[in-house]
Amino acid sequence: MNPVLPGEIAIKSESDIVAARRTVRDAAMQVGFGMTDVTRIVTAASELARNVFKYAGEGAMTWRQLEEPGRMGIELRFIDHGPGIADVQLALQEGYSTGAGLGLGLPGAKRLMDELDIQTASGQGTTITLKKWRMI
Amino acid sequence: MNNESISVIKVRDILMVTMPSDPDDSTISSLQNKVLTAMERTDAKGVILDISTVETLDSFFARTVSETAQMVALMGGRTIVAGMRPAVAVTATQIGLTLKNIETSLNVERALDAATAERPRDPR
Ligand SMILES: Nc1ncnc2c1ncn2[C@@H]1O[C@H](COP(=O)(O)OP(=O)(O)OP(=O)(O)O)[C@@H](O)[C@H]1O
Ligand SMILES: [Mg+2]
């Protein structure tokens, strides 16, 4: 199996959200995830790509394959220079939304993935890193 | 780019609405309008929303489906979501999407049977 080449795409229009989903689907399948995990990973990516577009206006997504003894994985990173998240704990709470959404994007992505890390501060932009692993 | 759009056709007195596999947000947003306009124009009594090719149902998509079903209900109609893939159902549940008050069906044929059956939800 060919390793997934790392990459980056810009998120600055609605169609980039679709492109992000397709890119992540291809990469996750290439890493060897099963259909349910591929769906989980793509859904998490869709939530975060939309958040970038909706709250920051624009940003980027990077992806890369992870390799460790006994396991392989995928890392997705969503980077923007928007307003940042003032209270991360609050933003991770189910039902919390400043954008008239369901407030399920961030908490949902956290449940769908194995790891979620948020680096952000008010006015400093937001970088969210997601990881999902599979045993080999 | 994604040029696929939502198709709406009338079968008996039911609207068959088919979502493309990977719709962009504008396409998703157009669902409500398309369905309500068609309901009005055709005097249909219900909607079957075929999502059998849909691979990703995120919170935005799910909210639009719920809101559309609510509007259809206000117009006296019934909505059945048909053909949700198992992986999509697992993911939606995990994310906390409930699709509350929405009927689901394994596939379009069953949805059509249910929608056209006489008094489908009569308890007796
Ligand atoms: N990249 C970001 N930049 C700034 N704020 C953000 C960002 N991502 C999320 N937020 C904040 O965190 C809140 C929660 O995000 P989350 O995705 O969980 O819900 P939502 O986008 O409001 O609704 P949903 O995703 O269910 O449609 C948002 O309402 C917003 O205030
Ligand atoms: Mg969101």
Side-chain angles (χ1 to χ4, degrees), chain A residues 41-114:
Chain A
I41 296 164
V42 174
T43 305
S46 185
E47 295 290 355
L48 294 195
R50 186 175 294 101
N51 280 357
V52 167
F53 181 61
K54 187 169 167 186
Y55 300 111
E58 60 174 34
M61 177 188 80
T62 68
W63 67 92
R64 67 185 182 105
Q65 180 172 315
L66 303 170
E67 270 164 284
E68 285 183 6
R71 62 179 191 170
M72 279 173 83
I74 189 167
E75 181 191 272
L76 306 175
R77 182 168 286 162
F78 296 83
I79 305 148
D80 69 62
H81 302 287
I85 303 174
D87 187 337
V88 172
Q89 284 320 311
L90 196 58
L92 279 169
Q93 259 173 41
E94 211 168 283
Y96 175 80
S97 173
T98 61
L102 295 173
L104 292 176
L106 279 179
K110 185 170 181 169
R111 275 198 295 269
L112 294 173
M113 303 296 282
D114 294 326

Side-chain angles (χ1 to χ4, degrees), chain A residues 14-15 17-18 21-22 25 35-36 39-40 42-43 46-47 50 54 100-102 104-105 108-109 111-112, chain B residues 1-2 4 22-28 55-63 87-88 90-91 94-97:
Chain A
E14 250 180 32
S15 58
I17 302 174
V18 178
R21 284 200 292 265
R22 289 188 185 159
R25 177 172 299 278
M35 194 38 72
T36 305
T39 304
R40 287 184 173 113
V42 174
T43 305
S46 185
E47 295 290 355
R50 186 175 294 101
K54 187 169 167 186
L102 295 173
L104 292 176
R111 275 198 295 269
L112 294 173
Chain B
M1 278 311 288
N2 180 44
E4 301 168 280
D22 197 8
D24 61 21
D25 288 8
S26 310
T27 305
I28 293 171
E55 295 174 325
T56 316
L57 187 69
D58 62 14
S59 59
F60 175 71
F61 197 163
R63 178 160 56 98
V88 170
V90 168
T91 302
Q94 203 174 355
I95 238 183
L97 299 171

Side-chain angles (χ1 to χ4, degrees), chain B residues 4 8 10 19 24 27 38 59 64 79 85 91 97 99 122:
Chain B
E4 301 168 280
V8 181
K10 198 177 176 206
M19 291 302 292
D24 61 21
T27 305
S59 59
T64 307
T79 301
R85 296 183 176 196
T91 302
L97 299 171
L99 289 179
D122 193 324

Side-chain angles (χ1 to χ4, degrees), chain B residues 38-89:
Chain B
M39 281 287 285
E40 214 164 30
R41 198 184 56 234
T42 65
D43 212 21
K45 71 171 190 188
V47 173
I48 294 175
L49 183 63
D50 180 3
I51 60 163
S52 57
T53 69
V54 169
E55 295 174 325
T56 316
L57 187 69
D58 62 14
S59 59
F60 175 71
F61 197 163
R63 178 160 56 98
T64 307
V65 170
S66 290
E67 285 174 1
T68 304
Q70 276 167 28
M71 300 302 286
V72 170
L74 285 175
M75 293 175 81
R78 178 178 171 196
T79 301
I80 305 178
V81 173
M84 191 187 299
R85 296 183 176 196
V88 170

